[in-house]
Amino acid sequence: MARSVPIPDGNKVFVLTGAGVSAESGIRTFRDANGLWEEHRVEDVASPEGFAKDPELVWRFYGQRRAQALTVKPNPGHHALAALEARLGDDFLLCTQNVDALHEAAGSTRVIHMHGELMKTRCSDPACGTAPFHDERHDFGELPRCSCGALQRPHIVWFGEIPFEMHRIKRVVQACDVFVCVGSSGVVYPAAGLVREMTYRRSVGETVRTVYVGVESPDNADAFDEVVIGKAGETLPGLFAR
Ligand code: NAD
């Protein structure tokens, strides 16, 4: 019999997604092969130090990611989460670690990109006041520069940087009834630690539920009441009953 996770109308739901939810759309997960991400060492292409050392390599890497992102489509997992949001409205928030825009492409609107957005660029000088902007450029003759003269950089949270909107994310987690995590290995912090807030809330007598959905048990599996093993695109449609 198909698994079902009851979520009655009126429940407040927080969903955290990771690279696994986009895997069936053709975007490789982070940890597919021995710490290499699309054949690069993570620290070379996804850290401030890597950008300072070789901005050309970093822009080439993100240019390739952008070019690929323009060709992919949301899968049934993204659509199932958009349908859950359509039912729950403001009682729903989706926080994604993914920098792709596949949740929005599936119709999700209440989305936080805690690790940034692939199709945005900003000035690399923190003192420069210009806002991040939508940017699909992916083939650079020379490195892109801000009007202030500094290099522009991808609007991505790299290793060693602080994720966006952590206060808002924590507030919502502290008030939700159900915490759902999809396709995240549970090793990248602070995202992997968010579910611990639910453990704490339960320890002080609150009634909360936590569910993980993914192809393998995550590192932080002990924090989940239920671990549903399966691909996001096959498992999520029909998983959430009233
Ligand atoms: P991760 O690569 O560490 O873990 C992915 C998890 O998804 C694994 O546990 C894997 O078992 C699971 N998985 C693989 N295929 C799946 C499927 N079809 N259905 C369900 N689960 C599946 O990714 P993470 O935990 O998100 O953390 C790594 C970091 O990598 C994040 O910060 C994220 O920003 C970045 N990243 C993003 C993208 C993207 O934007 N699509 C892609 C790669 C990496």
Side-chain angles (χ1 to χ4, degrees):
M1 205 174 79
R3 290 287 286 271
S4 160
V5 173
I7 298 186
D9 290 350
N11 265 200
K12 292 189 186 309
V13 176
F14 176 87
V15 179
L16 174 68
T17 63
V21 79
S22 294
E24 289 154 85
S25 294
I27 300 182
R28 278 164 63 180
T29 62
F30 209 39
R31 288 168 204 274
D32 271 342
N34 303 324
L36 289 183
W37 188 9
E38 304 272 0
E39 284 68 56
H40 292 280
R41 285 173 41 196
V42 169
E43 50 275 39
D44 290 344
V45 294
S47 75
E49 294 77 18
F51 185 70
K53 195 168 132 205
D54 193 346
E56 251 172 60
L57 171 72
V58 173
W59 265 120
R60 207 176 328 124
F61 176 77
Y62 283 99
Q64 287 163 358
R65 305 279 75 71
R66 284 181 178 181
Q68 183 204 24
L70 291 168
T71 68
V72 297
K73 291 196 168 29
N75 67 58
H78 296 104
H79 286 292
L81 293 173
L84 186 61
E85 177 186 343
R87 172 156 79 82
L88 298 174
D90 285 338
D91 289 330
F92 178 97
L93 182 71
L94 175 53
C95 172
T96 186
Q97 296 166 83
N98 296 344
V99 298
D100 65 57
L102 290 172
H103 286 302
E104 289 89 340
S108 292
T109 58
R110 294 164 179 89
V111 182
I112 292 178
H113 282 273
M114 68 182 291
H115 290 167
E117 291 172 73
L118 185 59
M119 296 299 190
K120 284 190 179 171
T121 296
R122 71 169 192 263
C123 180
S124 63
D125 181 353
C128 175
T130 58
F133 60 95
H134 183 83
D135 185 13
E136 295 185 3
R137 290 175 298 174
H138 49 79
D139 205 357
F140 299 98
E142 58 186 68
L143 291 176
R145 281 194 184 272
C146 178
S147 55
C148 77
L151 284 180
Q152 290 177 333
R153 58 164 279 179
H155 188 51
I156 302 278
V157 177
W158 286 327
F159 283 92
E161 297 183 320
I162 297 167
F164 297 129
E165 302 207 56
M166 283 308 290
H167 287 300
R168 183 172 157 218
I169 292 167
K170 282 186 185 159
R171 266 205 317 276
V172 175
V173 172
Q174 283 163 358
C176 74
D177 301 297
V178 189
F179 182 113
V180 179
C181 181
V182 183
S184 185
S185 53
V187 297
V188 177
Y189 282 78
L194 289 173
V195 68
R196 303 281 172 200
E197 182 64 38
M198 305 301 276
T199 313
Y200 169 75
R201 290 179 54 204
R202 181 175 294 117
S203 76
V204 295
E206 293 188 44
T207 304
V208 294
R209 285 186 294 144
T210 51
V211 184
Y212 180 82
V213 179
V215 293
E216 62 194 343
S217 202
D219 267 29
N220 54 358
D222 62 299
F224 291 94
D225 305 324
E226 263 191 90
V227 173
V228 181
I229 298 294
K231 291 185 175 181
E234 294 171 3
T235 311
L236 289 177
L239 183 68
F240 305 114
R242 273 200 164 82

